[in-house]
Amino acid sequence: MTELWSDDRLRWGMHELFKLIPNALGALHAESPYQLLIAVILSAQTTDAAVNKVTPALFAAYPTPAALAAASPADIEHFIHTIGLFHTKAKHIQATAQQLVTRFNSTVPQTHPELESLPGVGRKTANVVLGDAFGVPSFAVDTHVTRISKRLPAVSDKASVRDIERRWTTALPKTEWVQGHHTLILFGRQYCMARKPRCAECPLAAYCVTGQELLAQ
Ligand code: SF4
């Protein structure tokens, strides 16, 4: 059985990635917790760049939760029809805005259970909003984080998203959770891509099981 990376090795690996990709930040454009929440809901299975193209006009038309809550999903679709799953997302962001108005006094809540009770908001979206909008230590797991974690491996191949979140948040100090998540995402985009990862240039290659296999081919 393949040995999983220890806490010490995960901390070492993350510090290597901090040196490789300093000051990693989220790529979604947002000027308030409300805008970030809506942008993250829109980003599911869509690139951040595609979301950034549609949000300026969307937020100009609906600058507050109340304005978005009063819109019809058909009107909202007009602004977001270029992104994936726009039909469902239009319904979700309108319903979420309605709940922000009726349940949270038009503000974005700051706890997991409250955020995850909103339409279209799952654990990953809640973690991104908590970390980036409110500075609450949180570690969001997306497709890049999952792929890298299984390649090292930090977790077994059968690990769930929650298992992966637990693995990194156990190994890393809270102060590194938000930056760690953003760093892994950029590392996944720039080095550890799904196809043809750049293992020869990767600082983790000496201990990465997948990297060693690929480099030996
Ligand atoms: S060695 Fe290759 S597979 Fe392993 S983390 Fe680095 S880029 Fe990814």
Side-chain angles (χ1 to χ4, degrees):
M1 210 180 98
T2 310
E3 200 180 326
L4 304 180
W5 279 33
S6 66
D7 286 4
D8 278 348
R9 184 154 291 163
L10 286 174
R11 275 193 293 273
W12 165 82
M14 187 60 84
H15 289 170
E16 288 298 311
L17 297 186
F18 287 161
K19 284 187 252 169
L20 183 72
I21 307 170
N23 307 316
L25 291 172
L28 288 170
H29 298 164
E31 290 172 4
S32 65
Y34 157 65
Q35 289 192 2
L36 183 64
L37 172 62
I38 299 302
V40 183
I41 294 173
L42 294 178
S43 73
Q45 296 178 46
T46 306
T47 65
D48 291 350
V51 173
N52 287 338
K53 276 195 194 142
V54 305
T55 44
L58 179 73
F59 295 139
Y62 310 116
T64 62
L68 188 57
S72 74
D75 288 340
I76 298 168
E77 284 183 11
H78 167 73
F79 291 97
I80 66 168
H81 64 90
T82 55
I83 63 171
L85 309 175
F86 70 92
H87 197 59
T88 305
K89 288 174 182 174
K91 280 192 206 147
H92 280 161
I93 63 173
Q94 193 266 348
T96 281
Q98 241 166 15
Q99 296 203 18
L100 293 183
V101 172
T102 55
R103 295 171 53 207
F104 301 107
N105 196 24
S106 291
T107 62
V108 175
Q110 300 188 30
T111 68
H112 265 291
E114 288 172 321
L115 279 166
E116 288 179 43
S117 73
L118 297 168
V121 179
R123 178 102 191 155
K124 188 193 111 188
T125 298
N127 274 327
V128 173
V129 171
L130 287 172
D132 286 354
F134 300 118
V136 176
S138 39
F139 191 97
V141 175
D142 76 339
T143 175
H144 297 291
V145 176
T146 298
R147 182 176 66 253
I148 297 160
S149 301
K150 292 185 177 178
R151 278 178 169 174
L152 296 173
V155 294
S156 81
D157 223 31
K158 294 197 183 91
S160 67
V161 163
R162 282 303 289 271
D163 293 332
I164 297 169
E165 180 182 335
R166 217 171 286 123
R167 186 70 201 92
W168 284 104
T169 53
T170 302
L172 300 179
K174 280 188 177 183
T175 49
E176 293 179 356
W177 291 0
V178 173
Q179 199 195 339
H181 142 79
H182 285 308
T183 302
L184 284 182
I185 289 175
L186 286 185
F187 177 63
R189 286 191 185 136
Q190 297 172 7
Y191 290 87
C192 194
M193 295 87 91
R195 281 188 220 167
K196 297 198 183 162
R198 296 162 61 190
C199 303
E201 300 154 81
C202 176
L204 312 186
Y207 299 106
C208 174
V209 169
T210 307
Q212 287 299 311
E213 285 169 6
L214 291 173
L215 289 169
Q217 282 173 7

